[in-house]
Amino acid sequence: MIRFGVDFGGTKIEAAALDEAGAFVARVRKPNPGRYDAALDVVAELVADAESMAGATCARLGMGIPGSISPRSGLIRNANSIYLNGQRFSDDLERRLARPVRLANDANCLALSEAADGAGAGAAVVFAAILGTGCGGGVVVNGQIVEGHNGVGGEWGHAPLPWPKPEEYPGRDCWCGRKGCLETWIAGPAFAGDAGFPTGQDAVAAIEAEDAAAEAALDRYVDRLSRGLAMICDLIDPDVIVLGGGMSNIDALYERLPAAIGPHVFSDVFETPVRKAVHGDSSGVRGAAWLWPPEV
């Protein structure tokens, strides 16, 4: 059985087809045009390209998106690609593609992929964080995404930074209308701004070059990220924490975070591993492809 998935990212949209073992048989991507109707067109084009490459028909499509679907209205909400908010994205895609579409938060797709055969394989409770252009979280328990009663399970990026220091309060303005959201402190652009670089990639490169300003910003970043992850540990005490997104490529995080998280956790012991996503930027599209169970 060939499964098809789409990862709807802020800068690029990717479609892929996976075989029964989870290996790619097709993978194509295009820039996200940043406009709703044009994005629908790009998704349709990518699905057609993936079908042609895989030599198979996409009967059902899974898609990872920023934000989530309101269980009350059916509209997209909470997406940092704000042109999606208020749209009936699933319905519009089904009309455009003439096939069923199942949507899930992109961090949930990351968590699902890594829980299946990645950094969280074999773990009962997996928390996965996307640390990229934005910041999000996903929870998988016994192989199932936990979306919650209101459909906002894992929306970690818009919780406040825990235990803020005087210079961190009341916090930075967030696109969501609140102040002090974790996203404004630990997403890639936030780290870049703190380090004094135009992009997160530039800041990561500066760390590798042992730039003093970037290294000082990394100290602050580890401290803030550790506080955010400690809050997750107090809430669900995951068996493993998996990091994805551009910031997850900083190797020092895996050396430093466990010791930094521990003192903030309400426990006399902290042994939870923090791991880099095995499938990297492939995890989102892989998880999306697995949103439909094989028997459906």
Side-chain angles (χ1 to χ4, degrees):
M1 174 184 177
I2 302 295
R3 300 173 187 240
F4 288 80
V6 170
D7 181 19
F8 193 95
T11 58
K12 56 89 178 171
I13 304 172
E14 179 177 8
L18 277 64
D19 65 17
E20 292 183 2
F24 286 107
V25 294
R27 190 176 183 187
V28 288
R29 61 174 63 181
K30 291 185 178 181
N32 189 323
R35 304 183 311 279
Y36 187 71
D37 288 339
L40 290 171
D41 291 337
V42 168
V43 172
E45 293 165 6
L46 287 171
V47 170
D49 290 345
E51 287 179 317
S52 177
M53 189 178 298
T57 300
C58 173
R60 299 174 178 86
L61 181 69
M63 178 181 287
I65 61 167
S68 60
I69 299 176
S70 166
R72 174 176 294 175
S73 67
L75 305 177
I76 301 295
R77 65 195 174 170
N78 301 338
N80 58 2
S81 296
I82 57 176
Y83 64 89
L84 292 179
N85 292 325
Q87 302 284 358
R88 295 192 180 278
F89 195 33
S90 179
D91 294 342
D92 291 341
L93 282 169
E94 289 189 344
R95 280 193 293 271
R96 183 68 60 92
L97 299 173
R99 70 203 74 189
V101 176
R102 182 169 289 176
L103 304 183
N105 177 264
D106 50 6
N108 287 341
C109 291
L110 165 68
L112 184 61
S113 173
E114 292 296 321
D117 62 356
V125 181
V126 177
F127 177 76
I130 292 179
L131 306 172
T133 304
C135 170
V139 181
V140 168
V141 176
N142 296 325
Q144 300 294 316
I145 293 172
V146 178
E147 293 184 322
H149 186 73
N150 301 296
V152 292
E155 280 285 12
W156 173 67
H158 295 278
L161 177 69
W163 306 288
K165 299 176 180 179
E167 65 270 22
E168 295 169 338
Y169 186 82
R172 302 164 178 171
D173 292 332
C174 184
W175 65 266
C176 75
R178 301 175 179 177
K179 280 185 176 289
C181 290
L182 275 167
E183 183 165 303
T184 68
W185 295 106
I186 61 176
F191 172 68
D194 190 31
F197 291 88
T199 70
Q201 289 181 331
D202 293 327
V204 171
I207 291 171
E208 295 172 351
E210 299 183 351
D211 178 88
E215 290 183 341
L218 180 62
D219 291 341
R220 294 187 290 272
Y221 185 85
V222 169
D223 175 50
R224 290 162 179 161
L225 180 55
S226 68
R227 284 182 267 158
L229 292 173
M231 173 177 60
I232 291 297
C233 293
D234 283 347
L235 287 171
I236 62 173
D237 199 10
D239 295 301
V240 61
I241 295 168
V242 180
L243 304 183
M247 295 300 293
S248 72
N249 293 318
I250 300 176
D251 291 337
L253 293 180
Y254 308 97
E255 301 167 6
R256 299 177 57 179
L257 276 172
I261 296 169
H264 298 293
V265 178
F266 196 55
S267 171
D268 63 340
V269 61
F270 179 75
E271 298 176 344
T272 307
V274 181
R275 298 172 181 161
K276 184 177 181 179
V278 167
H279 299 293
D281 68 356
S282 300
S283 270
V285 76
R286 293 176 84 253
W290 287 335
L291 290 175
W292 291 97
E295 65 273 16
V296 172

